[in-house]
Structures are given as C-alpha cells and as structure tokens.
Amino acid sequence: MRHVVTGAGSGIGLALAHRLADRGDDLVLLARSDARAAELGALFPQAQLLVADLADPGTLNGLGRQVDGAVDTLLHVAGVVDLGRVERLRLAEWEEQLAVNLTAPAVLSRELLPHLRASRGTIVFVNSSAGLSASPEWSAYAASKFGLRAFADALRAEEVEHGVRVSTVYPSRTATPMQEKVHEQEGRAYDASRWISPGTVVDTILHVVDLPADATIPDVTVRPVVPRPGT
C-alpha cells in the first residue's frame, strides 16, 4: 500500500509512519521545510519527501503533480493547538490553527483526489474530541476541528460515487508532545500514563485503513480509560 502522511515528525504521526514502514508499505511524507525533510529522510530512508508548509496552505497548490501514480490512503495527522480565552487570542493564533488544522487538509485532499480515485482509496482525518465538544479556552482549536468534521462529512458524500472512503478518527487526550504542551498551557502537571498511547490511536487508524472494501467506518472515537479513585 502507498500512504501520504502529514505530521510524521512527532506523536501519532510518527508512530503511524513507523508502523507503516515496518510492515513494508510505501510512504510519502510531508515536511514543512527542507531541514525537516532531511530529518524525516534519516528516519524513513525509503520514503518520498515532499516539502510544503501546512501553516501556509498555498504551498500545497500543485503538490498532486509531485506524486506519481495511485495513492491508497491519505492520512491527515498534523495539527497545532494554542489555548486561550477569546478575549486574549491573537489573530495569528486563530489563523495558524485554522490553516494547519482545516484549510491545509482541505487543499491537500483536493490535490490528491485523482490519485485516491485511481485506487478507490481511503482518506483518514485524525480529528480530536475537541471536534465534537468545545470547552473554555479551546475556541480556535475546536472551531478548526468542528470545521474539519464538516469538511470530512461533505467530502464523504461527494466521493462515494468514486469509491473513495472518508473516515474521521476522534482521539481524546493522547500521550504526545502536543498533549504535554497543552498541559503546560493549562498549568497542569503532565502524566503520560493517564492518557491514550499513540500506538492505540495508530491501531484504530490501521483498522480503518485495512477494512475490506465492502465496508467503511465513517467516524470512530477513542477515549482513555480513566482509573477510578483508589484503583
């Protein structure tokens, strides 16, 4: 299988890229800069590296022409988060989260649709529990993820006639560097053992990707098992 993956440099994306590489699949990885591409190339020497900055979605225009042949899956894993009350959020923080979390996946999906249609492939959006329920100080991030959910729903309805499956995975808090940053912004101590392992989210993504062609999983939520007091 051949997979295009965003966010392969850290967290869930990194764990996913390693799992796909270990099973012998072909990877096409997006990197935000030449320096980042070199780092990913050292980790995944067999992968094709494409340079585009998701924070500047215009850099994705024409990217489809750099990919030859069919693509089996497009895996949108990259994301950014900056917490803050609406009264204090800067415009740049709003724009970056909307660009990386919503606009860039939309543009990249458009660019790769011909390749996915050729293989009757699958698009997976790694969303967030914040795409289902918004909390205080999560306004910009949640808005971007609610928008991503809507985009995925519309794309699914459009592409069914082409045989392209579209799935959204909603992980709750997962033990990643992003989650550590969130805890820092919240002023809370970070304990990775309380949260979902990236490998568990990868298991879910691969279940969606490897599903036989006669079925699809439009949406799946992954939540941590929170220990009860005293256990």
Side-chain angles (χ1 to χ4, degrees), residues 97-111:
Q97 290 175 86
L98 289 170
V100 174
N101 299 340
L102 175 57
T103 306
V107 176
L108 184 58
S109 296
R110 183 203 67 198
E111 285 291 317

Side-chain angles (χ1 to χ4, degrees), residues 1-81:
M1 296 183 74
R2 190 180 192 207
H3 314 275
V4 177
V5 185
T6 70
S10 180
I12 294 169
L14 179 60
L16 176 61
H18 275 301
R19 190 82 66 85
L20 294 171
D22 288 346
R23 71 184 204 175
D25 290 1
D26 295 328
L27 296 179
V28 180
L29 307 179
L30 264 70
R32 63 177 176 267
S33 65
D34 290 333
R36 191 62 159 170
E39 294 173 2
L40 287 174
L43 289 173
F44 305 100
Q46 304 304 318
Q48 178 184 359
L49 278 301
L50 302 177
V51 177
D53 186 357
L54 301 183
D56 182 5
T59 62
L60 295 165
N61 284 325
L63 199 73
R65 293 193 293 271
Q66 299 181 42
V67 179
D68 295 325
V71 169
D72 295 293
T73 71
L74 170 56
L75 304 166
H76 294 286
V77 190
V80 295
V81 59

Side-chain angles (χ1 to χ4, degrees), residues 97-177:
Q97 290 175 86
L98 289 170
V100 174
N101 299 340
L102 175 57
T103 306
V107 176
L108 184 58
S109 296
R110 183 203 67 198
E111 285 291 317
L112 293 179
L113 273 179
H115 304 274
L116 290 153
R117 289 171 176 173
S119 66
R120 299 179 71 85
T122 301
I123 303 173
V124 178
F125 295 92
V126 178
N127 198 297
S128 166
S129 58
L132 299 170
S133 177
S135 300
E137 301 190 4
W138 289 77
S139 58
Y141 183 76
S144 70
K145 292 298 188 177
F146 267 69
L148 189 64
R149 175 188 179 187
F151 176 77
D153 289 348
L155 182 63
R156 182 183 305 113
E158 291 176 4
E159 290 303 310
V160 65
E161 65 183 278
H162 300 289
V164 175
R165 297 183 290 189
V166 178
S167 297
T168 297
V169 177
Y170 299 93
S172 295
R173 293 188 183 239
T174 304
T176 65

Side-chain angles (χ1 to χ4, degrees), residues 10-12 172-180 183 190-199 201 224:
S10 180
I12 294 169
S172 295
R173 293 188 183 239
T174 304
T176 65
M178 176 184 284
Q179 188 57 231
E180 189 170 4
H183 275 68
Y190 176 66
D191 180 0
S193 67
R194 294 191 60 199
W195 309 120
I196 304 167
S197 162
V201 180

